[in-house]
Amino acid sequence: MACGNYGRLTSAALDPVEKKPLAEWMPGSYVLSVGSYGCNLACPFCQNHVIAAAREDSVPWRFVAPGDLVDAACRLKARGNVGIAFTYNEPLVGWEYVRDTARLAHEHDLKVVVVSNGVVCGDVWHELLPLVDACNIDLKAASNEGYERLGAGVFDTVVGTIAAAADCPTCHVEVTTLCAPGFVDGRAVDRIARLLASIDPSIPYHLTQYVPRFRMADVPALPDAEVRSYADIARNSLAHVYIGNM
Ligand code: SF4
């Protein structure tokens, strides 16, 4: 699973937690958000393809040891920082760095956030979950066939990742679907929302507007009204539905 990117950071920013997105966890606070490079999917609409599709020799990176990242996060407490978020690329391709940093972070009274596509083996996720205070997991398609178009037929794996997080009493979980044209429609959103409701109908669910990028740079976004109609469909099954990027 590891892709040799341990501690190699390509990006860092102090972001509002709402940007992760997390709508119902420590609202109004900030989190030091860091990314490395690499991903285990190949989404043609990837918003972060510059780092997600990169290798060690194709993107600038800087090694930051877990202790140094925790020190930086502690210094930022004065600016409202509550912890460290592993995000931007797929953080769990370098899960050992997440684990080692998270252990140290908790010793320094910092929260740990993971923003992931959910493609992670169950053993690793169960080892990490007690170290994760909040996560946002993407559910990018409503079927295995949909996921095959993103690089791997991992629908059941992602659903299992969400269910395990929802079952963990110390981890807050939210779920996001990007409304990418040709990949998500109202029927897909209905299926996803019903599935999430069967796990926990109180799971916060985000539908985010797509921005033309990467291999879909010439594909225009869906009209905002269509994304709003998807949210209305999701609300038939879920109590907390949010729209983002509009
Ligand atoms: S899972 Fe996320 S980071 Fe990876 S390719 Fe897809 S959109 Fe990009």
Side-chain angles (χ1 to χ4, degrees), residues 36 44 69 76 79 103 110 115 120 123 131 180 187 198 221 225 227 236:
S36 179
L69 183 56
L76 287 167
R79 290 173 53 192
R103 284 179 180 151
L110 291 164
V115 181
V120 58
D123 288 352
L131 300 167
R187 284 179 59 189
S198 73
V227 176
N236 291 328

Side-chain angles (χ1 to χ4, degrees), residues 95-168:
W95 71 273
E96 296 94 338
Y97 183 67
V98 176
R99 176 197 61 197
D100 296 350
T101 309
R103 284 179 180 151
L104 268 181
H106 279 176
E107 289 173 13
H108 290 77
D109 200 24
L110 291 164
K111 303 291 187 189
V112 173
V113 174
V114 168
V115 181
S116 171
N117 64 19
V119 183
V120 58
C121 74
D123 288 352
V124 166
W125 191 226
H126 280 99
E127 182 174 339
L128 284 178
L129 266 175
L131 300 167
V132 178
D133 299 288
C135 63
N136 189 303
I137 308 297
D138 287 340
L139 193 46
K140 295 176 178 294
S143 67
N144 215 43
E145 293 70 32
Y147 268 93
E148 282 168 359
R149 296 174 63 204
L150 305 176
V154 289
F155 178 71
D156 290 344
T157 299
V158 177
V159 173
T161 299
I162 293 168
D167 202 38
C168 176

